[in-house]
């Protein structure tokens, strides 16, 4: 009995609480403030945009390859054989009809990967930086073709974007909450909201 919580503390410990999440306006503000002068900055901005378009989980985003992206159909095929989806589910997510600035940034990035960097279908959508020796010292030499092994870099990128815009350090998973709240207002019929919910991976 000494090590057990009393009834009051047990209720406090097990209470479900609202997880902080950004508003659509805060997301747009943070996105607009992100720089895009270098290839790395363009990648980070495209990453933010993709999360707003799809509400995808950070683990899945880290493992995406270009073969999973279909710009003509405006969708991403989350194939559990390659993509680290929750419960190994395979499903297609069509880009959500949010602010068009997000789709524009993401399309520009994929086009840059394919046309300028000559990335192919098996290469990462959000590649990690490649290190090499330049003038006798280690330096960034470009992008590797392999995706990230974990979602740590994605988490850091998104938190940095919000903090740099003077906002709380929201993580990438909070976008799902933002989009669900937006979808609740945007898709007013039960059928439409159910379709939206399944589109971001809910059963």
């Amino acid at each position: 009995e000494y090590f057990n919580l009393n009834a009051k503390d047990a209720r406090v410990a097990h209470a479900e609480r609202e997880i902080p999440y950004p508003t659509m306006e805060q997301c747009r503000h943070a996105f607009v403030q992100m720089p895009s002068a270098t290839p790395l900055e363009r990648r980070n901005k495209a990453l933010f945009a993709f999360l707003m378009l799809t509400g995808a989980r950070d683990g899945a985003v880290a493992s995406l390859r270009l073969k999973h992206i279909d710009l003509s159909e405006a969708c991403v095929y989350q194939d559990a054989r390659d993509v680290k989806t929750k419960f190994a589910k395979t499903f297609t997510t069509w880009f959500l009809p949010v602010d068009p600035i997000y789709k524009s940034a993401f399309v520009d990035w994929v086009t840059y990967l394919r046309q300028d960097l000559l990335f192919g279908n098996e290469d990462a959508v959000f590649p990690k930086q490649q290190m090499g020796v330049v003038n006798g010292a280690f330096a960034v030499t470009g992008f590797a073709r392999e995706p990230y092994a974990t979602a740590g870099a994605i988490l850091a990128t998104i938190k940095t974007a919000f903090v740099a815009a003077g906002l709380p350090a929201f993580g990438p998973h909070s976008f799902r909450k933002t989009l669900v709240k937006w979808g609740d207002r945007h898709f007013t019929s039960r059928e439409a909201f159910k379709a939206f919910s399944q589109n971001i991976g809910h059963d």
Side-chain angles (χ1 to χ4, degrees):
E1 289 184 3
Y2 178 81
F3 288 102
N4 289 333
L5 292 174
N6 59 43
K8 177 183 176 182
D9 291 338
R11 283 194 295 272
V12 171
H14 289 92
E16 291 188 8
R17 295 172 178 82
E18 184 82 351
I19 298 173
Y21 62 93
T23 64
M24 293 294 282
E25 293 76 17
Q26 287 176 321
C27 288
R28 193 183 196 284
H29 174 72
F31 178 76
V32 170
Q33 296 298 314
M34 293 178 75
S36 57
T38 68
L40 178 61
E41 290 171 346
R42 290 178 64 186
R43 184 206 70 180
N44 292 345
K45 198 158 186 173
L47 169 63
F48 193 112
F50 183 77
L51 289 167
M52 290 300 296
L53 287 170
T54 64
R57 298 178 186 275
D58 52 8
V61 174
S63 57
L64 283 174
R65 298 177 186 271
L66 283 172
K67 66 181 179 181
H68 302 123
I69 305 297
D70 187 338
L71 293 182
S72 62
E73 293 292 331
C75 67
V76 52
Y77 181 56
Q78 299 195 47
D79 188 342
R81 293 175 297 179
D82 308 304
V83 182
K84 297 177 182 177
T85 58
K86 188 175 182 180
F87 303 132
K89 289 188 291 187
T90 294
F91 58 97
T92 300
T93 297
W94 278 265
F95 297 164
L96 297 169
V98 289
D99 196 311
I101 60 171
Y102 299 123
K103 185 177 180 181
S104 177
F106 181 67
V107 170
D108 286 348
W109 172 247
V110 172
T111 303
Y112 170 74
L113 287 178
R114 289 194 177 277
Q115 296 185 1
D116 293 42
L117 300 188
L118 301 180
F119 270 39
N121 288 336
E122 295 298 327
D123 298 328
V125 177
F126 302 106
K128 55 189 175 182
Q129 289 182 298
Q130 182 172 323
M131 303 298 291
V133 178
V134 178
N135 297 326
F138 283 106
V140 176
T141 58
F143 289 114
R145 293 179 181 269
E146 306 82 35
Y148 281 103
T150 68
I154 291 177
L155 177 66
T157 297
I158 299 304
K159 285 189 172 183
T160 298
F162 279 110
V163 171
L167 297 168
F170 296 112
H173 193 76
S174 66
F175 284 32
R176 291 177 66 83
K177 188 80 169 179
T178 301
L179 290 170
V180 167
K181 294 293 186 181
W182 167 81
D184 195 33
R185 298 190 305 271
H186 190 81
F187 303 104
T188 53
S189 72
R190 290 180 62 186
E191 292 82 1
F193 187 79
K194 183 63 176 179
F196 159 77
S197 180
Q198 290 179 320
N199 192 53
I200 63 173
H202 293 157
D203 289 334

